[in-house]
């Protein structure tokens, strides 16, 4: 069995490899070659922790396994550790033997940023120039860095409820040589692409904040009750997702579907666009929206790629197990 510790991931796995792994597995899901298992998420009644498993099997990539982990809200203060903790376990599909244990923390950020990047590449207008960020926390910096590689953006605008966090994303824009402007939410009308990545339970982005032709990647809502954008914006948009079953239950689409403003049948898998079985954006005026709920197969895809890279570079730790 192979171990790839968390500390090695940063040097092994880049945005390009993450993008390729996630795009490939989204395609496999839409082709019916890969599926996610039901998600388990439990409040364990200790350390205020939420803990769970996300697993799946990708027959095309021959990847079987699960990500185990969750959220320990007191980690930083009490233990000096980050609050989100996860580990990926991979198994040999032919035998069920354990193949690898891989640190999952950085991989989660890379695979989540890769998902919105895949959506921007396949759904945003080719001439998109202004990218708008709603959110400026830990994930937002990864999201922006990856998104900037998908189009010839010339400007970054950003809004965050807690304004003191905006320098996080301003720094990414500056590193990329782009001007950054802090805006109020109505200022988002200037954006051609918008990423929402907050932990909000109330909508921030309203339909009137979004111009025709914009692509929106909603990445923060991954739990029942969370919400980042208004339901009438979901109703107005052509909605794509990683997995329809998750989008309508715990993704950004959950509220619009519950209100009867969008039906499950209206929501398409992004993998269909990747595979060419759905045309994607229909016109330059259409608002497209990617509901990125986060599926276990994304974690397995990037973890499997990391294992291959670690073996190639001779830094995989092999144990007799
Ligand atoms: P973080 O704690 O670092 O940042 C939270 C962000 O949400 C900040 O920008 C904060 O200002 C903002 N925020 C908090 N309350 C808000 C409110 N009421 N209204 C508007 N904004 C508010 O968190 P993070 O690690 O950046 O994660 C952000 C979100 O992304 C979380 O909800 C997390 O669960 C989700 N997430 C999703 C996926 C996925 O695959 N879709 C993967 C990882 C994380």
């Amino acid at each position: 069995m192979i171990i790839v510790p968390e500390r090695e991931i940063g040097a092994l796995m880049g945005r390009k490899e993450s993008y390729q792994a996630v795009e490939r597995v989204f395609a496999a899901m839409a082709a019916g070659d890969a599926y996610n298992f039901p998600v388990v998420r439990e409040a364990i009644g200790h350390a205020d922790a939420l803990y769970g498993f996300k697993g799946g099997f990708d027959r095309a990539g021959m990847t079987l396994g699960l990500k185990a982990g969750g959220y320990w809200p007191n980690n930083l203060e009490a233990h000096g550790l980050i609050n989100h903790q996860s580990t990926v376990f991979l198994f040999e599909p032919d035998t069920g033997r354990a193949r690898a244990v891989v640190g999952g923390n950085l991989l989660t950020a890379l695979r989540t940023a890769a998902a919105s990047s895949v959506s921007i590449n396949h759904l945003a207008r080719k001439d998109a120039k202004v990218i708008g960020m709603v959110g400026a926390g830990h994930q937002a910096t990864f999201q922006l860095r990856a998104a900037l590689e998908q189009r010839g953006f010339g400007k970054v605008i950003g809004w965050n409820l807690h304004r003191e966090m905006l320098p996080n994303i301003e720094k990414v824009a500056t590193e990329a040589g782009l001007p950054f402007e802090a805006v109020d939410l109505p200022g988002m009308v200037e954006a051609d692409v918008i990423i929402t990545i907050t932990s909000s339970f109330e909508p921030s982005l309203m339909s009137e904040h979004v111009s025709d032709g914009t692509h929106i990647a909603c990445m923060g809502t991954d739990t029942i009750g969370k919400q980042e954008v208004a339901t009438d914006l979901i109703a107005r948009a052509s909605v794509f997702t990683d997995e329809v079953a998750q989008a309508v239950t715990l993704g950004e689409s959950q509220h619009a579907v519950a209100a009867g403003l969008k039906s499950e049948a209206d929501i398409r898998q992004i993998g269909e666009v990747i595979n060419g079985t759905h045309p994607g954006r229909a016109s330059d005026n259409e608002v497209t929206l990617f509901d990125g709920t986060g599926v276990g197969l994304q974690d397995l895809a990037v973890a499997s790629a990391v294992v291959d890279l670690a073996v190639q570079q001779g830094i995989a730790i092999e144990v007799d197990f």
Side-chain angles (χ1 to χ4, degrees):
M1 187 183 72
I2 288 164
I3 297 173
V4 187
E6 183 71 43
R7 65 174 182 276
E8 304 285 5
I9 309 285
L12 282 169
M13 191 73 174
R15 287 189 290 281
K16 190 165 157 234
E17 295 86 357
S18 304
Y19 180 100
Q20 287 167 347
V22 168
E23 185 180 58
R24 209 177 298 129
V25 81
F26 283 167
M29 285 166 61
D33 290 332
Y35 71 109
N36 292 288
F37 305 155
V39 174
V40 174
R41 199 163 162 88
E42 294 283 323
I44 59 173
H46 176 75
D48 299 325
L50 275 177
Y51 171 72
F53 317 113
K54 281 185 167 186
F57 177 44
D58 174 5
R59 192 183 301 277
M62 285 307 270
T63 309
L64 173 69
L66 60 90
K67 178 166 86 167
Y71 187 67
W72 277 257
N74 311 316
N75 266 5
L76 194 59
E77 264 181 34
H79 306 289
L81 297 169
I82 62 170
N83 293 348
H84 287 276
Q85 290 289 332
S86 64
T87 306
V88 181
F89 297 86
L90 298 176
F91 298 86
E92 290 172 358
D94 292 336
T95 63
R97 276 177 14 129
R99 175 178 173 230
V101 178
V102 185
N105 295 345
L106 178 58
L107 283 184
T108 300
L110 288 171
R111 67 78 147 145
T112 306
S116 66
S117 266
V118 168
S119 85
I120 292 167
N121 189 25
H122 288 279
L123 292 170
R125 291 190 340 265
K126 295 275 182 267
D127 64 351
K129 283 281 174 284
V130 178
I131 182 163
M133 295 296 299
V134 174
H138 179 69
Q139 302 291 334
T141 57
F142 289 89
Q143 291 285 324
L144 181 57
R145 251 182 229 114
L148 289 177
E149 289 167 353
Q150 300 307 323
R151 291 290 185 270
F153 291 111
K155 181 179 179 186
V156 180
I157 61 177
W159 174 88
N160 196 53
L161 183 68
H162 309 100
R163 285 186 69 92
E164 69 280 7
M165 294 170 81
L166 281 173
N168 291 339
I169 50 172
E170 180 171 9
K171 186 162 172 267
V172 176
T174 306
E175 279 166 11
L178 295 177
F180 175 82
E181 186 187 341
V183 295
D184 291 332
L185 282 163
M188 283 290 154
V189 289
E190 198 192 337
D192 304 304
V193 170
I194 300 173
I195 297 175
T196 64
I197 182 75
T198 70
S199 49
S200 180
F201 282 76
E202 301 289 338
S204 305
L205 192 70
M206 302 295 159
S207 191
E208 61 268 27
H209 302 154
V210 175
S211 295
D212 284 347
T214 303
H215 173 66
I216 311 163
C218 295
M219 304 305 297
T221 298
D222 55 0
T223 306
I224 292 170
K226 281 187 185 172
Q227 187 173 6
E228 299 190 283
V229 310
T231 50
D232 59 344
L233 178 55
I234 298 275
R236 175 182 164 202
S238 296
V239 178
F240 299 83
T241 186
D242 41 22
E243 190 182 83
V244 176
Q246 280 205 167
V248 301
T249 51
L250 53 78
E252 192 59 47
S253 304
Q254 61 181 289
H255 309 283
V257 170
L261 296 172
K262 201 81 173 177
S263 83
E264 187 168 338
D266 294 333
I267 301 173
R268 310 307 294 246
Q269 277 185 278
I270 187 78
E272 294 178 64
V273 184
I274 298 167
N275 291 336
T277 55
H278 186 286
R281 168 175 291 279
S283 77
D284 278 354
N285 290 331
E286 189 179 35
V287 174
T288 54
L289 186 147
F290 176 64
D291 182 351
T293 65
V295 294
L297 282 170
Q298 283 170 258
D299 298 296
L300 306 188
V302 288
S304 181
V306 155
V307 170
D308 292 345
L309 288 165
V311 170
Q312 277 166 24
Q313 296 181 23
I315 56 167
I317 301 169
E318 293 201 31
V319 292
D320 192 11
F321 180 74

Short mmCIF file of all heavy atoms in Angstrom, two decimals, residues 27-28 30 36 56 62 66 68 98 104 109 118 165 173 181-182 187 197 203 214 216 232 250 254 260 280 288 307 319:
data_model
loop_
_atom_site.label_atom_id
_atom_site.label_comp_id
_atom_site.label_asym_id
_atom_site.label_seq_id
_atom_site.Cartn_x
_atom_site.Cartn_y
_atom_site.Cartn_z
N ALA A 27 -16.81 13.73 -17.02
CA ALA A 27 -17.19 13.09 -18.29
C ALA A 27 -17.62 11.64 -18.05
O ALA A 27 -18.63 11.18 -18.60
CB ALA A 27 -16.01 13.15 -19.27
N ALA A 28 -16.87 10.93 -17.22
CA ALA A 28 -17.20 9.53 -16.93
C ALA A 28 -18.55 9.41 -16.22
O ALA A 28 -19.34 8.50 -16.50
CB ALA A 28 -16.10 8.90 -16.08
N ALA A 30 -21.14 11.44 -16.55
CA ALA A 30 -22.22 11.69 -17.51
C ALA A 30 -22.38 10.52 -18.49
O ALA A 30 -23.47 10.27 -19.00
CB ALA A 30 -21.97 12.99 -18.27
N ASN A 36 -21.32 7.99 -7.73
CA ASN A 36 -21.01 8.30 -6.33
C ASN A 36 -21.91 7.48 -5.41
O ASN A 36 -23.08 7.24 -5.73
CB ASN A 36 -21.25 9.79 -6.07
CG ASN A 36 -20.25 10.65 -6.81
OD1 ASN A 36 -19.09 10.71 -6.45
ND2 ASN A 36 -20.70 11.30 -7.89
N GLY A 56 -17.09 6.47 -4.09
CA GLY A 56 -17.61 6.18 -5.42
C GLY A 56 -16.70 5.22 -6.16
O GLY A 56 -15.65 4.80 -5.66
N MET A 62 -10.80 3.39 -13.33
CA MET A 62 -10.51 2.30 -12.39
C MET A 62 -10.08 2.88 -11.03
O MET A 62 -9.00 2.56 -10.50
CB MET A 62 -9.45 1.34 -12.96
CG MET A 62 -10.01 0.45 -14.04
SD MET A 62 -11.50 -0.46 -13.54
CE MET A 62 -10.77 -1.94 -12.88
N LEU A 66 -12.88 6.25 -1.05
CA LEU A 66 -13.69 7.21 -0.31
C LEU A 66 -12.81 8.30 0.29
O LEU A 66 -11.62 8.10 0.50
CB LEU A 66 -14.48 6.51 0.80
CG LEU A 66 -13.67 5.77 1.87
CD1 LEU A 66 -13.35 6.68 3.05
CD2 LEU A 66 -14.45 4.56 2.36
N ALA A 68 -12.75 10.41 3.74
CA ALA A 68 -13.32 10.47 5.08
C ALA A 68 -12.82 11.75 5.74
O ALA A 68 -11.64 12.09 5.62
CB ALA A 68 -12.88 9.26 5.91
N ALA A 98 -6.39 -2.55 -0.16
CA ALA A 98 -6.09 -1.12 -0.01
C ALA A 98 -4.95 -0.75 -0.94
O ALA A 98 -3.92 -1.42 -0.97
CB ALA A 98 -5.73 -0.82 1.44
N GLY A 104 -5.96 14.64 2.25
CA GLY A 104 -7.06 15.17 1.45
C GLY A 104 -7.33 16.65 1.60
O GLY A 104 -8.24 17.17 0.94
N ALA A 109 -9.27 21.58 -1.87
CA ALA A 109 -9.28 22.92 -2.45
C ALA A 109 -8.96 22.86 -3.95
O ALA A 109 -9.60 23.55 -4.75
CB ALA A 109 -8.27 23.81 -1.73
N VAL A 118 -13.53 23.97 -14.78
CA VAL A 118 -14.10 23.15 -15.87
C VAL A 118 -15.38 23.82 -16.37
O VAL A 118 -15.62 23.95 -17.57
CB VAL A 118 -14.39 21.71 -15.37
CG1 VAL A 118 -15.24 20.95 -16.38
CG2 VAL A 118 -13.07 20.96 -15.10
N MET A 165 -11.57 40.64 4.73
CA MET A 165 -10.99 39.45 4.08
C MET A 165 -10.67 39.69 2.60
O MET A 165 -10.00 38.87 1.97
CB MET A 165 -11.95 38.25 4.20
CG MET A 165 -12.16 37.79 5.63
SD MET A 165 -13.52 36.59 5.75
CE MET A 165 -12.67 35.10 5.24
N ALA A 173 -5.17 38.50 -7.42
CA ALA A 173 -5.28 39.32 -8.64
C ALA A 173 -3.96 40.03 -8.92
O ALA A 173 -3.46 40.03 -10.05
CB ALA A 173 -6.42 40.33 -8.47
N GLU A 181 -10.83 45.49 -7.92
CA GLU A 181 -11.72 46.52 -7.39
C GLU A 181 -12.73 45.89 -6.45
O GLU A 181 -13.40 44.91 -6.82
CB GLU A 181 -12.46 47.21 -8.56
CG GLU A 181 -13.30 48.39 -8.13
CD GLU A 181 -14.14 48.94 -9.29
OE1 GLU A 181 -13.80 48.65 -10.47
OE2 GLU A 181 -15.13 49.61 -9.02
N ALA A 182 -12.83 46.44 -5.22
CA ALA A 182 -13.87 46.00 -4.28
C ALA A 182 -15.17 46.67 -4.70
O ALA A 182 -15.19 47.88 -4.97
CB ALA A 182 -13.49 46.40 -2.87
N GLY A 187 -22.56 46.06 -8.11
CA GLY A 187 -21.41 46.22 -9.01
C GLY A 187 -21.05 44.95 -9.76
O GLY A 187 -20.28 45.00 -10.74
N ILE A 197 -18.43 31.67 -3.41
CA ILE A 197 -17.76 30.67 -2.57
C ILE A 197 -17.79 31.18 -1.13
O ILE A 197 -16.77 31.64 -0.59
CB ILE A 197 -16.35 30.30 -3.12
CG1 ILE A 197 -15.66 29.24 -2.28
CG2 ILE A 197 -15.47 31.52 -3.38
CD1 ILE A 197 -16.19 27.84 -2.46
N PRO A 203 -29.26 34.15 0.63
CA PRO A 203 -28.73 34.57 -0.68
C PRO A 203 -28.06 35.94 -0.61
O PRO A 203 -28.58 36.84 0.04
CB PRO A 203 -29.98 34.62 -1.57
CG PRO A 203 -31.13 34.71 -0.64
CD PRO A 203 -30.73 34.04 0.64
N THR A 214 -23.73 36.22 -18.52
CA THR A 214 -22.75 35.89 -17.47
C THR A 214 -22.75 34.38 -17.20
O THR A 214 -23.79 33.72 -17.29
CB THR A 214 -23.11 36.64 -16.17
OG1 THR A 214 -23.14 38.03 -16.46
CG2 THR A 214 -22.11 36.37 -15.04
N ILE A 216 -22.01 31.88 -14.02
CA ILE A 216 -21.85 31.89 -12.55
C ILE A 216 -21.49 30.48 -12.10
O ILE A 216 -22.15 29.50 -12.50
CB ILE A 216 -23.17 32.31 -11.85
CG1 ILE A 216 -23.73 33.58 -12.49
CG2 ILE A 216 -22.95 32.51 -10.35
CD1 ILE A 216 -25.19 33.82 -12.14
N ASP A 232 -34.72 33.28 -7.97
CA ASP A 232 -35.12 33.72 -9.31
C ASP A 232 -33.93 33.80 -10.26
O ASP A 232 -34.08 33.76 -11.48
CB ASP A 232 -35.92 35.04 -9.28
CG ASP A 232 -35.14 36.19 -8.66
OD1 ASP A 232 -34.12 35.94 -7.99
OD2 ASP A 232 -35.56 37.36 -8.85
N LEU A 250 -28.86 19.17 -1.82
CA LEU A 250 -27.99 19.96 -0.94
C LEU A 250 -27.18 21.01 -1.66
O LEU A 250 -26.37 21.71 -1.05
CB LEU A 250 -27.08 19.02 -0.13
CG LEU A 250 -26.23 17.98 -0.89
CD1 LEU A 250 -25.02 18.59 -1.52
CD2 LEU A 250 -25.83 16.85 0.06
N GLN A 254 -31.22 23.60 -4.59
CA GLN A 254 -32.21 22.99 -3.68
C GLN A 254 -33.41 23.91 -3.43
O GLN A 254 -34.55 23.44 -3.39
CB GLN A 254 -31.57 22.60 -2.34
CG GLN A 254 -30.98 23.76 -1.57
CD GLN A 254 -30.32 23.35 -0.25
OE1 GLN A 254 -30.99 22.97 0.68
NE2 GLN A 254 -28.99 23.44 -0.18
N GLY A 260 -40.44 25.13 -6.65
CA GLY A 260 -41.10 24.82 -7.93
C GLY A 260 -40.68 25.74 -9.06
O GLY A 260 -41.33 25.80 -10.10
N GLY A 280 -24.33 22.91 -24.33
CA GLY A 280 -23.84 23.92 -23.37
C GLY A 280 -24.49 25.26 -23.61
O GLY A 280 -25.70 25.34 -23.86
N THR A 288 -25.56 31.25 -17.75
CA THR A 288 -25.31 29.85 -17.40
C THR A 288 -24.85 29.80 -15.95
O THR A 288 -24.21 30.74 -15.45
CB THR A 288 -24.24 29.22 -18.32
OG1 THR A 288 -23.06 30.03 -18.29
CG2 THR A 288 -24.75 29.09 -19.75
N VAL A 307 -1.21 9.80 -6.48
CA VAL A 307 -0.52 8.53 -6.22
C VAL A 307 0.39 8.20 -7.41
O VAL A 307 1.58 7.85 -7.24
CB VAL A 307 -1.52 7.39 -5.95
CG1 VAL A 307 -0.81 6.04 -5.92
CG2 VAL A 307 -2.25 7.63 -4.64
N VAL A 319 4.21 0.68 2.08
CA VAL A 319 4.19 -0.13 3.31
C VAL A 319 3.59 -1.50 2.98
O VAL A 319 2.71 -1.62 2.12
CB VAL A 319 3.38 0.54 4.45
CG1 VAL A 319 4.06 1.78 4.96
CG2 VAL A 319 1.95 0.84 4.02
#
